[in-house]
Each structure stands twice: as structure tokens, then as C-alpha cells.
Amino acid sequence: MTTSGPARTRLSPEQRREQLLDLGVRLLAHRSLDELSIDLLAEEAGISRGLLYHYFGSKQHFHEAVVRHAADDLIAQTTPPTDGEPMERLLASITAYVDYVVANHEGYVSLVRAAAGGNESLRAIYEDARSALNSRVFREDVRGEVVADTPANRLVVRAWSAMTEEAVLSWIDDPHGLGKDQLIAVLVASLPAVVAVIPPG
Amino acid sequence: MTTSGPARTRLSPEQRREQLLDLGVRLLAHRSLDELSIDLLAEEAGISRGLLYHYFGSKQHFHEAVVRHAADDLIAQTTPPTDGEPMERLLASITAYVDYVVANHEGYVSLVRAAAGGNESLRAIYEDARSALNSRVFREDVRGEVVADTPANRLVVRAWSAMTEEAVLSWIDDPHGLGKDQLIAVLVASLPAVVAVIPPG
């Protein structure tokens, strides 16, 4: 046996691209999108700018790919457990969401700003991710134990989701009013609370 | 008597500037900020571009002045009545807010986007307006009948305010789930409902 250290397997172009996107997402955690350049990624990955342009085409496409990758991570990391009561599963999902935003604060804020600020392709990725998270509320609660799937509730869930995002970002900026567990408890309990105050149509 | 029609009084430069800002805000109601140019204002006001540059200095300063004027209008128009129970006054204020956003939809959306998208001076104007609206919740309810003034409640009110904005904008995009009165009722009732679910610290 002559190998020392882990075996190095040759990566496919697709695997290499995924690896670069993982790195891009990690770099985005503590940077804004504006600060995430092809140059920086090239330096961190130890490969040439030319190769990165080969993989991603342009800075805009690179940013889109990183943001889509980050959105996929967010959706994956906030997947609730498959068993348990709906409110317990919502608690697990919201806890994971708060942890994700705390861990990826800079990149998350810059995504929200880029999406809100008129970059149409980033807005589309952000909206897709939000829709996936919002739809999950109904998909994970098919019997409507917490929130029945109605047009009114869809609107309220979307609004509650904006409240959740604002609460977490404001709490990160100034956490002295609430402990993390309190914050999470408010977000979880506010969903049925807000649905409950919808007056009959 | 030889006058025909209303007497024309000579406006002071400050009054003239206010008049131009009023026009700018009216033009913004159904346009984005990007579409609100000095050329358009000059055409609508029937005065030269040069004179507008004299009043406002640059397109950026013109936009800031219009947006500040619009924010002042929003704050003025959503002022609750001075008497009545706190929840009745909140209802009046939220009703006025929904009416304002409906009437000024294009401009409001473009302000939110400009503020979120990294235009720092527009963000500051937007944040000032939001802070004024959020602080009003506490100022109008000095005895804390609906929401006592605590750091936790300040955070929750800020989040509720983001929920309110998202709900109204989403409802304008797709109003079929809720009637306007239902929407307003949800927004009003959700404030005490969300405050009520804050667990003890």
C-alpha cells in the first residue's frame, strides 16, 4: 500500500461545479453578493479565473448559480422531520430557519436586497424559494390541522413569512429584547394565531 | 373689477418647490421611481428642465425629495383619530394605510424596492417612515392597552409591520382570497394576537 491520505478521485465537471458552488455559498455567508467576485472564488478555490468563466459564463450567472445553490441549501436545511405533530414539525423547521439566517447572515441579507432591489433573475430565485417554504406549510399539514389550504390562508402565510424574515433579521441586529428560544416560539405560535383572526368571508 | 378667475398669487420658491413635490408624488402613484424623470416632471409642470435642476440639483436629489414628501404624506394620512379606543384608532390607521398603498401602488412598490435594493439615502427615508409608523403604535397607546412598550414588543411590532406591508402588496396583486374589510380586520387583530404569543422571558 503506497497511498497516503484519502484517495483522490477525479471529479466530473458537474461535481467540480457543485464543489465550486458550495465554496461560493460558504464565501457568501459573511459577504454581500457585491463582494463575491470571480476573482475571490478563483483565489479561494486555487484555480484560474478563466476556468471559472468556463464553468459559469459571467459574474451574473455565477451569482445566480450561487444564490440558487444557497436557496436549495435553505430549503433542504429547513425540511421538517417526517413524523411528529404539525406544530412540532413547524418548530423544527423554524428553528432550522433561524439557525440558517444566523449562520449565513451577510449573504442572506444581500440576497433579500438584491431580490427586492430589482435584479429580476435573483428576485425569481428568491421568490421561488419563498414559495417553496410557504407551500411547505400546506404540504406538511395536509389535514389542515394548523392551517387549512384556502386562498385567504395562502395570503396570510405569505405575510407571516415576511414577518418571520423581518423578525429574524431585526433580532440578529438587536437581540436584546428576546432570547432565541422566545423568538422561535413567537414565530411558531404566531402562525395559527394570525390564521385564527381571519374573519369569516 | 377686471379680474377673471381666481387671483394668481405669486408663490415663494419654497411654495413652488412644495407644489412641484406634490406633482412628483402624484406622478409616482402610477409609476416607478425609474420612470419618474426630471423631463417628465418638467413636461407635466410646464416649466423648464433647467428650473427643476435649480430646485432639486440632481435626479437623485429630486427622487429623495419626492420620496420624503410621499413618506410624509403616508404618515399624515395614516394618523389615527385623537379619540376612541386604541383598537378603533388602530383600525382607522390601518384602513388609511391600505387605502394609501392601493392609491399609490406603483410608487410605493418602487420605493420599497429602491430602499431594499441598496439605495442608501432612499433606504434611510423608508426606514425613518417605518420607524415613525411603528413608534406610533406605542405613542398612541401610552397606557399599553394593546401593546406595552418593551424591547420584545418593539421587535414584534416591527415584524408585524413587515407582515402588514407584505399582506397589502400581495392582496393588491391577488385579492381573491380576502375582501378588503377582512384584510384590514386580520391586520388589526393580528397585532395583539402576535404580542400575546410572546412567551415570558
Side-chain angles (χ1 to χ4, degrees):
Chain A
M1 301 293 283
T2 58
T3 51
S4 62
R8 292 190 59 168
T9 51
R10 193 170 180 82
L11 297 178
S12 71
E14 188 48 40
Q15 288 171 319
R16 185 67 178 138
R17 192 172 183 277
E18 286 292 301
Q19 200 180 51
L20 291 167
L21 288 174
D22 285 339
L23 177 59
V25 171
R26 285 202 303 279
L27 293 172
L28 191 59
H30 303 292
R31 279 177 188 81
S32 72
L33 267 176
D34 282 344
E35 294 164 339
L36 181 63
S37 63
I38 293 269
D39 279 349
L40 177 70
L41 186 69
E43 189 183 317
E44 293 285 333
I47 63 177
S48 72
R49 298 175 72 245
L51 191 56
L52 284 178
Y53 279 106
H54 169 75
Y55 279 115
F56 299 112
S58 68
K59 182 176 179 182
Q60 168 73 14
H61 285 123
F62 164 56
H63 279 179
E64 286 172 27
V66 170
V67 166
R68 193 172 285 115
H69 207 73
D72 289 346
D73 281 353
L74 169 63
I75 292 169
Q77 288 180 33
T78 56
T79 302
T82 50
D83 54 0
E85 295 301 310
M87 287 301 282
E88 289 168 17
R89 292 155 74 219
L90 182 62
L91 172 64
S93 188
I94 293 291
T95 302
Y97 173 76
V98 172
D99 288 340
Y100 181 91
V101 179
V102 168
N104 298 279
H105 184 228
E106 293 296 320
Y108 192 89
V109 168
S110 79
L111 166 61
V112 170
R113 290 185 180 175
N119 182 313
E120 291 300 332
S121 50
L122 293 181
R123 192 205 309 280
I125 297 168
Y126 174 80
E127 285 294 333
D128 282 352
R130 275 189 78 175
S131 291
L133 295 176
N134 293 344
S135 295
R136 178 190 276 160
V137 169
F138 299 102
R139 203 176 56 244
E140 294 287 334
D141 180 29
V142 283
R143 283 171 300 180
E145 291 172 59
V146 178
V147 191
D149 192 354
T150 67
N153 287 353
R154 289 253 164 194
L155 178 78
V156 166
V157 164
R158 193 177 160 87
W160 166 81
S161 165
M163 177 170 74
T164 296
E165 184 176 274
E166 176 67 38
V168 176
L169 292 176
S170 291
W171 177 78
I172 292 171
D173 284 344
D174 179 7
H176 89 281
L178 285 171
K180 183 174 152 188
D181 288 348
Q182 281 182 294
L183 172 72
I184 291 168
V186 172
L187 298 176
V188 171
S190 64
L191 178 59
V194 172
V195 168
V197 299
I198 302 175
Chain B
M1 302 288 285
T2 57
T3 51
S4 62
R8 292 190 61 167
T9 51
R10 194 168 178 82
L11 297 178
S12 71
E14 187 49 39
Q15 289 171 319
R16 186 69 178 135
R17 192 171 183 278
E18 287 292 302
Q19 200 180 51
L20 290 167
L21 288 175
D22 285 339
L23 178 58
V25 171
R26 285 203 302 279
L27 293 172
L28 191 59
H30 302 292
R31 281 175 186 82
S32 71
L33 268 174
D34 282 345
E35 294 163 340
L36 182 63
S37 63
I38 292 269
D39 280 349
L40 176 70
L41 187 69
E43 188 183 317
E44 294 285 333
I47 63 177
S48 72
R49 297 174 72 245
L51 191 54
L52 284 178
Y53 278 105
H54 169 74
Y55 279 115
F56 298 111
S58 68
K59 183 175 179 183
Q60 169 71 15
H61 286 126
F62 165 56
H63 279 178
E64 287 171 26
V66 170
V67 166
R68 194 171 286 114
H69 206 73
D72 289 345
D73 280 353
L74 168 62
I75 292 168
Q77 288 180 32
T78 56
T79 302
T82 50
D83 55 358
E85 294 300 309
M87 288 301 283
E88 287 168 18
R89 293 156 72 220
L90 183 62
L91 172 64
S93 188
I94 292 290
T95 301
Y97 173 76
V98 173
D99 288 341
Y100 181 91
V101 179
V102 168
N104 298 279
H105 185 228
E106 294 297 319
Y108 192 90
V109 168
S110 79
L111 167 61
V112 171
R113 290 185 179 177
N119 183 313
E120 290 302 330
S121 50
L122 294 181
R123 192 206 308 283
I125 298 168
Y126 174 80
E127 286 294 333
D128 284 352
R130 276 188 76 175
S131 290
L133 296 176
N134 294 344
S135 296
R136 177 189 278 161
V137 168
F138 299 101
R139 203 177 54 245
E140 294 288 334
D141 179 29
V142 283
R143 283 171 300 181
E145 291 172 59
V146 177
V147 190
D149 192 353
T150 67
N153 287 353
R154 289 253 164 192
L155 178 78
V156 166
V157 164
R158 192 177 160 88
W160 166 81
S161 163
M163 177 169 75
T164 296
E165 182 177 275
E166 176 67 39
V168 176
L169 292 176
S170 292
W171 178 79
I172 291 172
D173 284 344
D174 180 7
H176 90 283
L178 285 172
K180 182 175 154 190
D181 289 348
Q182 282 181 294
L183 172 72
I184 291 167
V186 172
L187 297 176
V188 171
S190 64
L191 178 59
V194 172
V195 168
V197 299
I198 302 175

